[in-house]
Amino acid sequence: MPDYLDDLRLAHVLADAADAATMARFKALDLKVETKPDMTPVSEADKAAEELIRGHLQRARPRDAVLGEEYGVEGTGPRRWVIDPIDGTKNYVRGVPVWATLISLTEAAEGGYQPVVGLVSAPALGRRWWAAKGHGAFSGRSLTSASRLHVSRVSRISDASFAYSSLSGWEDRGLLNGFLDLTRDVWRTRAYGDFWPYMMVAEGSVDLCAEPELSLWDMAANAIIVTEAGGAFTGLDGRPGPHSGNAAASNGLLHDELLGYLEQRY
């Protein structure tokens, strides 16, 4: 089985470059922000970071395809890098430090491209998380200064901490009642948002998280970090991996119960 460690090292190089670019424009008074057709914001920093990463990949991995949030798919083949240059753009443009660059390498497999490397870098928080298939998940400032991640061992919903991004979207999908039931039955809820709940699941500080509507670039890196930390990452339909258009992540022990709550309840 490939060890993917060279790809993981490259992901750190890509993240270092992106971090420098995004931090240079964070809280800039002249930051340019546009509204995309889906009514979500995109800043000049989103575009610059993705262009920077694509440029590095073109030189280092010219045979690999790239899928990014801002510029779509480029190239074909069994290996595809998936990039979200700034996950949490709304936070970024308002000066909230909870945002990150998400980088994942995926490989063609049954059921679609599956992540084999994932890295989440949140420079304004001073945090970085990463994983490679078969090698576990880690957090730290670099490959040589890292701590291994493990999900929690909480086994009862009543003792669980549940994180989510927002309430919007759950009602549109007929899932609000189950979502609210879950918030009433768990020990604690917090709306941390975006990538952060998944990283908290991976490091064991949160036990459950879920979102009703996501894109592949929102999930690919998170998925392998959670699973390599010993947790479970599926769609709300229970399909493993980041391909359902939504996500549920947990320590694994509570995953079936989590999905049960998030079934349609009218």
Side-chain angles (χ1 to χ4, degrees):
M1 183 181 73
D3 66 18
Y4 302 110
L5 294 183
D6 284 344
D7 296 307
L8 179 59
R9 294 185 188 98
L10 175 59
H12 277 273
V13 172
L14 301 175
D16 289 343
D19 286 355
T22 53
M23 285 300 292
R25 299 298 291 154
F26 184 47
K27 296 187 179 181
L29 296 179
D30 61 344
L31 182 72
K32 296 177 182 177
V33 182
E34 303 171 5
T35 300
K36 294 191 287 189
D38 64 0
M39 302 307 294
T40 61
V42 58
S43 75
E44 63 181 83
D46 292 78
K47 294 180 177 180
E50 184 168 325
E51 289 171 352
L52 189 64
I53 293 170
R54 285 176 179 268
H56 276 279
L57 286 172
Q58 181 58 42
R59 294 187 293 272
R61 296 289 189 276
R63 296 183 179 180
D64 292 353
V66 181
L67 168 65
E69 178 177 9
E70 307 308 334
Y71 295 107
V73 178
E74 182 178 2
T76 59
R79 287 165 46 101
R80 178 185 291 175
W81 293 84
V82 179
I83 304 161
D84 189 343
I86 299 179
D87 183 51
T89 297
K90 291 178 182 178
N91 282 347
Y92 185 88
V93 301
R94 290 297 301 271
V96 178
V98 184
W99 51 270
T101 295
L102 278 54
I103 300 168
S104 179
L105 172 63
T106 66
E107 287 193 339
E110 186 177 351
Y113 284 85
Q114 298 300 325
V116 294
V117 168
L119 184 147
V120 172
S121 188
L125 295 176
R127 299 294 309 277
R128 184 177 290 187
W129 304 260
W130 65 88
K133 185 177 179 179
H135 289 277
F138 297 84
S139 177
R141 294 187 177 273
S142 69
L143 281 167
T144 57
S145 177
S147 300
R148 187 151 189 168
L149 301 179
H150 298 279
V151 296
S152 75
R153 300 299 298 170
V154 172
S155 59
R156 297 195 305 178
I157 284 289
S158 60
D159 295 329
S161 179
F162 171 54
Y164 58 96
S165 285
S166 69
L167 291 174
S168 62
W170 294 103
E171 186 170 22
D172 293 343
R173 288 157 184 79
L175 302 174
L176 183 60
N177 289 339
F179 175 87
L180 293 176
D181 286 344
L182 176 60
T183 66
R184 296 181 185 108
D185 290 348
V186 295
W187 167 64
R188 189 172 191 249
T189 63
R190 285 293 185 272
Y192 297 110
D194 301 305
F195 68 94
W196 208 7
Y198 301 96
M199 299 303 97
M200 291 183 179
V201 168
E203 62 191 18
S205 53
V206 163
D207 311 301
L208 311 164
C209 68
E211 290 183 85
E213 184 176 10
L214 293 166
S215 298
L216 180 60
W217 47 77
D218 298 313
M219 297 183 282
N222 295 338
I224 188 166
I225 293 171
V226 168
T227 54
E228 284 291 323
F233 189 106
T234 72
L236 299 178
D237 56 5
R239 179 185 177 190
H243 293 287
S244 297
N246 46 52
S250 76
N251 63 6
L253 299 174
L254 297 169
H255 205 76
D256 288 344
E257 286 185 83
L258 172 62
L259 295 178
Y261 275 96
L262 299 179
E263 294 173 343
Q264 289 187 337
R265 300 182 184 191
Y266 294 99

